[in-house]
Amino acid sequence: MRAMSNTIRTGRAVTTLAALLAGALALTACGGSDDKKDDNGSESSANTSGSTLTLPKLDGTTLEVAAVWTGQEQKNFKQVLAEFEKRTGAKVTFVPAQDPIINFLGSKIAGGQPPDIALLPQPGAIKQAVQKGWAKPLGADAVKEVQKNYSQGWQDIGKVGGKQYGVYYKAANKSLIWYNATVFENAGAQEPKTWQDLLTTAQTVYDSGVTPFSVGGADGWTLTDWFENVYLSQAGPEKYDQLAQHKIKWTDPSVQQALTTLAQIWGKKGYIAGGAKGALQTEFPASVTQAFTGGDQPKAGMVYEGDFVQVNIGETKAKVGTDAKVFPFPAVGSAAPVVSGGDAAVIFKDSKGAQALATFLASPDAATIQAKLGGYLSPNKSVPNSAYPNEVQRTIAKALIASGDDFRFDMSDQAPQAFGGTPGKGEWKDLQDFLQNPKDVAGTQAKLEKDAAAAYGSGS
């Protein structure tokens, strides 16, 4: 399968977005204000009574929605489904799925029990579901809602062959580094603007007696995100798109440069909590919580990942904006990177109920409910900024919407599932091996290229 070339044509706006985000986060990091006023200074409405969305009566209809979300994220999404039930009379069941979700769906479909809707975390998976004849196009009402509420870029990554299949219900800003404010204060560490600054900050934290970074290496996708930020900033947007589509090989010198850069942190003794071995046994949620527990001696001072980290910080006593602060991923090259991810609702069993739920998920009504609960970001431009529960989250949301079409979608999510989205295989496994042996740049490149060639060549 050919990766989708869904993103942006110029580097200028990516730079602008990074600058906007950096400036805004600098203003909010010290505030952490929880006021609920919107841009006009008016109080946000606690309900969606002003909604223009019309949904059909669906009494007696039962629907299943599958997603890989767990914990608080799953609980929050269930509140959105509950609102749909209230408005329509339908009964909706959440089905927990496993990664890679396309394999999970394959087994459900083979057993004659596909969910009505599944949330797919990769554009590559949407394309695969269409090619296999599993996914159903959105109907007129859902398409109208998507066109009204989403920029062209977010519409396009949900399309296959010109038809709209996906509603990007959830987005992620994957270019953020979260830090323990007490650790930084005690160490006298500064928020870095460049990669070199980040290395200096890391050394300052290390010298204060705290390990600089927490890495959730048990989940290979966190490692691909690290790579993508370094690569986008260092190699630039055009090369990023070429590598995402496998138009250049992973043996390219630009990949060598990015891996060598990554090794400055991954390969530095004492820089990663638990060392490589410990990181490879640490799942993403624990990689976050261990940076914000343990008083002034947490297991690490910083953790890299997207805006959704807030959900996990919420499981600790740390407060976002005061105890847990954030800065944009520093510029490795001429511009700071802005990498986005997202989850799209796709219909697998076409019906009046499924189309109504897809329409609801494309509306600001659905996204506003989850926005208020925190740890969530919507690419829906009709969601009021005031819906987000804190200043940090409002800033991240505003920057995403302000970027319009100008973002780069997560590279591994654009790749065929076999390469970019399967635990223990492909890019996930190759970068886990690299974390363990960061000196082996050439060997890692060779493995990445072999796995990419097989996956892109086979169309799986």
Side-chain angles (χ1 to χ4, degrees), residues 147-184:
Q147 288 173 344
K148 187 167 76 177
N149 298 317
Y150 291 82
S151 74
Q152 194 63 48
W154 285 103
Q155 290 180 45
D156 289 349
I157 53 174
K159 285 180 183 173
V160 180
K163 276 188 188 166
Q164 197 76 48
Y165 284 89
V167 171
Y168 267 88
Y169 172 71
K170 180 175 184 286
N173 179 322
K174 290 189 161 193
S175 299
L176 301 170
I177 295 179
W178 299 82
Y179 68 94
N180 185 312
T182 304
V183 168
F184 267 47

Side-chain angles (χ1 to χ4, degrees), residues 180-427:
N180 185 312
T182 304
V183 168
F184 267 47
E185 201 177 320
N186 291 346
Q190 303 296 313
E191 289 188 3
K193 297 280 191 294
T194 67
W195 183 260
Q196 198 51 52
D197 292 346
L198 180 63
L199 298 178
T200 303
T201 296
Q203 187 62 40
T204 304
V205 169
Y206 176 82
D207 290 343
S208 77
V210 177
T211 304
F213 295 98
S214 178
V215 175
D219 294 309
W221 58 268
T222 62
L223 306 183
T224 68
D225 289 353
W226 265 102
F227 171 81
E228 286 155 10
N229 276 278
V230 169
Y231 190 83
L232 175 57
S233 184
Q234 196 169 54
E238 283 180 28
K239 283 266 193 192
Y240 184 95
D241 291 344
Q242 288 169 358
L243 188 60
Q245 295 167 60
H246 203 221
K247 286 184 174 172
I248 56 173
K249 294 186 174 184
W250 285 80
T251 47
D252 191 84
S254 61
V255 177
Q256 178 190 17
Q257 190 182 16
L259 290 173
T260 304
T261 301
L262 262 182
Q264 293 177 323
I265 286 175
W266 289 9
K268 180 91 170 175
K269 193 171 165 55
Y271 266 29
I272 292 178
K277 192 176 175 187
L280 289 168
Q281 293 170 344
T282 304
E283 293 181 338
F284 164 68
S287 74
V288 177
T289 53
Q290 71 182 16
F292 299 101
T293 47
D296 58 4
Q297 282 294 310
K299 287 194 177 171
M302 290 176 271
V303 59
Y304 154 71
E305 253 314 332
D307 58 282
F308 46 83
V309 161
Q310 290 173 95
V311 171
N312 308 95
I313 294 171
E315 292 164 10
T316 72
K317 290 176 183 169
K319 191 169 186 297
V320 170
T322 49
D323 311 308
K325 294 186 181 180
V326 62
F327 56 83
F329 198 98
V332 188
S334 59
V338 178
V339 178
S340 292
D343 296 86
V346 176
I347 295 173
F348 283 78
K349 251 167 81 177
D350 202 359
S351 68
K352 185 179 177 182
Q355 289 288 354
L357 181 52
T359 304
F360 180 62
L361 293 175
S363 76
D365 299 23
T368 298
I369 295 165
Q370 196 154 347
K372 289 180 181 187
L373 298 170
Y376 165 84
L377 184 63
S378 173
N380 186 319
K381 62 188 181 189
S382 305
V383 174
N385 191 251
S386 55
Y388 293 96
N390 59 60
E391 195 58 42
V392 169
Q393 188 67 5
R394 287 194 284 278
T395 298
I396 294 167
K398 195 182 286 185
L400 179 79
I401 298 304
S403 74
D405 298 338
D406 297 317
F407 57 90
R408 280 297 189 281
F409 205 91
D410 182 298
M411 189 190 292
S412 63
D413 287 352
Q414 295 183 58
Q417 191 90 35
F419 180 64
T422 304
K425 290 186 180 173
E427 190 184 358

Side-chain angles (χ1 to χ4, degrees), residues 1-2 124-135 160 165 458-460:
M1 170 184 97
R2 204 166 69 80
I126 300 174
K127 188 164 186 189
Q128 206 171 335
V130 173
Q131 287 171 339
K132 287 178 182 290
W134 297 347
V160 180
Y165 284 89
S458 70
S460 64

